[in-house]
Amino acid sequence: MSGAFAIQQGNCSSFKDQVPHSCKKDPVIADLMPDALPQNRSNSCCHGGILAAYAAHPSLSNTSFEVTVGNLEQNTPGYKPLNLSLMAPGPGYTCDQLMDTIPTVSSVIGGRREEQVLRTWKSTCTYSSYLANKTPVCCVSLSSFYNPKVTSCPSCSCGCNVSDRLPKSCIRDGSIPSDFPDVDIVRCTDHMCPLRIHWHIKNNYMDHWRVKLTVSNYNYRKNYSDWNILVQHPGFGRPASVYSFDSTMLPVIGVPEEVALFWGKPFYNTEILQADKDQLGSVTSEILLRKDSESFTLNSGWAFPRTIYFNGEICQMPLPDTFPMLPNDSHALHSQFLLHLIAVYLTYRTFVGF
């Protein structure tokens, strides 16, 4: 075997010479680490079990390994696997039966020759957040420059705070007792989520508007490496500048709003550190979006995201009627703006006179 390894060898006692890598009929196969020796590698292998999003890192979004199967009948056409289960990064994947498909063709000799394999089988694995997690793993909070109200994550987004009845369900002061169970530990909050994503509308300019996007880690025992965030919002249909994250826009068929994918910059913020007693782990970036004069508005919560995903998991959004809204008294805002202009004018006149 090359490019991966079976985690159990099984019973190979019947082999005296050339003992196989594994004799199990249902081997569990794991990826090799990136520093695997050359003789153990195969093409596109060895990512340490991590597959990146294709839009973020195409070269790291696929992997392969090779298996040599022995003790087959002579002139056999090969036998497809009876069952396939994708076990990492966790539960939630369901794979259909392997089916014959067009034999794979690869290029050799610098693309001057094509070689075709004997047979190719294909299985498609689909992911379900509901199968993977009994409760959500993230929630969304909202705020804006035009309203002092902060819309918090919905209560009990990822479970309810039962620390009064179950003292070891979460941590209040950040100090972890020595007898605490060896499981993920989160800070006691109303939402009880390991991760909170905050969307803040920061500025409104003539032709642009600015947003601050922050991810906070409430988990005391888990870092999040190579994370990504998917945000669905119609504003991403216009050009945007993202300052502290890498990003790309995704062409999604059948979705009315545009979808943007964000991930960390190498050697800067690709890892969201775990919380400690003093502070939460977090990453943040500002996003400057160009306005569409026909659609942009701050009314009715239009500037807030429609849906947010973290690492493919949908985050709990507040209800629209709880979004920070524009103040009802628009005349008061207009008067405040005029007073501000008068103050600036008087200051300028005083400066010139001096």
Side-chain angles (χ1 to χ4, degrees):
M1 194 170 193
S2 59
F5 66 97
I7 64 173
Q8 292 179 322
Q9 184 181 36
N11 183 8
C12 296
S13 58
S14 59
F15 295 88
K16 303 304 179 184
D17 299 320
Q18 296 182 340
V19 178
H21 177 77
S22 177
C23 297
K24 292 184 68 67
K25 293 183 178 180
D26 54 349
V28 176
I29 299 171
D31 195 11
L32 290 172
M33 298 302 291
D35 60 354
L37 297 176
Q39 61 267 28
N40 297 330
R41 302 177 68 91
S42 64
N43 292 332
S44 302
C45 82
C46 314
H47 301 312
I50 298 175
L51 288 181
Y54 178 81
H57 302 289
S59 63
L60 301 178
S61 65
N62 63 86
T63 189
S64 68
F65 58 89
E66 296 180 4
V67 182
T68 300
V69 182
N71 279 7
L72 294 178
E73 300 172 359
Q74 292 184 351
N75 299 323
T76 177
Y79 301 102
K80 66 181 179 182
L82 298 179
N83 188 27
L84 178 67
S85 299
L86 188 60
M87 302 173 64
Y93 289 92
T94 303
C95 302
D96 57 23
Q97 293 294 317
L98 285 98
M99 305 294 292
D100 277 282
T101 186
I102 299 174
T104 302
V105 176
S106 58
S107 299
V108 295
I109 317 179
R112 297 167 59 192
R113 169 181 166 82
E114 291 185 345
E115 292 183 347
Q116 179 175 308
V117 300
L118 181 62
R119 297 183 67 182
T120 296
W121 301 292
K122 179 180 179 180
S123 174
T124 301
C125 302
T126 56
Y127 179 75
S128 169
S129 295
Y130 301 102
L131 293 178
N133 300 287
K134 295 181 180 179
T135 58
V137 298
C138 54
C139 63
V140 178
S141 57
L142 309 168
S143 62
S144 67
F145 71 90
Y146 54 77
N147 192 325
K149 174 187 176 182
V150 176
T151 300
S152 303
C153 287
S155 296
C156 299
S157 292
C158 304
C160 292
N161 186 347
V162 293
S163 57
D164 294 335
R165 293 183 285 109
L166 298 174
K168 295 184 178 181
S169 61
C170 60
I171 297 293
R172 288 190 179 277
D173 57 5
S175 58
I176 302 176
S178 58
D179 61 341
F180 213 91
D182 188 19
V183 295
D184 288 348
I185 304 172
V186 299
R187 178 176 293 187
C188 294
T189 59
D190 289 336
H191 55 77
M192 290 298 292
C193 290
L195 293 156
R196 186 194 69 172
I197 300 175
H198 187 74
W199 178 279
H200 175 68
I201 304 173
K202 189 173 181 179
N203 300 102
N204 182 24
Y205 306 114
M206 182 69 69
D207 299 317
H208 295 79
W209 57 297
R210 186 184 296 268
V211 169
K212 186 175 183 180
L213 182 63
T214 304
V215 186
S216 300
N217 185 4
Y218 287 77
N219 195 317
Y220 286 100
R221 285 184 173 169
K222 184 175 182 180
N223 299 333
Y224 291 87
S225 302
D226 298 313
W227 54 271
N228 63 73
I229 301 173
L230 202 69
V231 181
Q232 182 179 345
H233 192 286
F236 290 123
R238 304 287 289 173
S241 298
V242 184
Y243 295 99
S244 300
F245 297 159
D246 285 333
S247 65
T248 187
M249 303 300 141
L250 300 181
V252 182
I253 299 175
V255 177
E257 285 85 20
E258 302 295 330
V259 176
L261 180 68
F262 304 96
W263 65 96
K265 288 183 175 293
F267 309 108
Y268 179 55
N269 56 5
T270 57
E271 186 171 34
I272 307 175
L273 298 179
Q274 64 190 24
D276 58 35
K277 63 179 182 179
D278 298 319
Q279 62 183 359
L280 301 173
S282 66
V283 293
T284 186
S285 178
E286 293 191 0
I287 307 168
L288 186 66
L289 299 103
R290 184 178 298 176
K291 287 183 178 179
D292 183 343
S293 58
E294 296 183 358
S295 62
F296 176 82
T297 178
L298 293 177
N299 292 321
S300 304
W302 180 92
F304 294 110
R306 307 303 186 259
T307 310
I308 293 182
Y309 292 80
F310 181 87
N311 284 356
E313 304 288 347
I314 189 168
C315 301
Q316 290 292 102
M317 290 284 299
L319 294 175
D321 60 359
T322 66
F323 288 6
M325 297 297 179
L326 283 170
N328 293 328
D329 191 358
S330 59
H331 296 290
L333 279 179
H334 183 66
S335 300
Q336 292 173 10
F337 179 69
L338 288 178
L339 287 173
H340 177 70
L341 286 180
I342 293 172
V344 172
Y345 176 74
L346 290 175
T347 302
Y348 175 74
R349 292 281 294 182
T350 302
F351 175 77
V352 172
F354 177 79

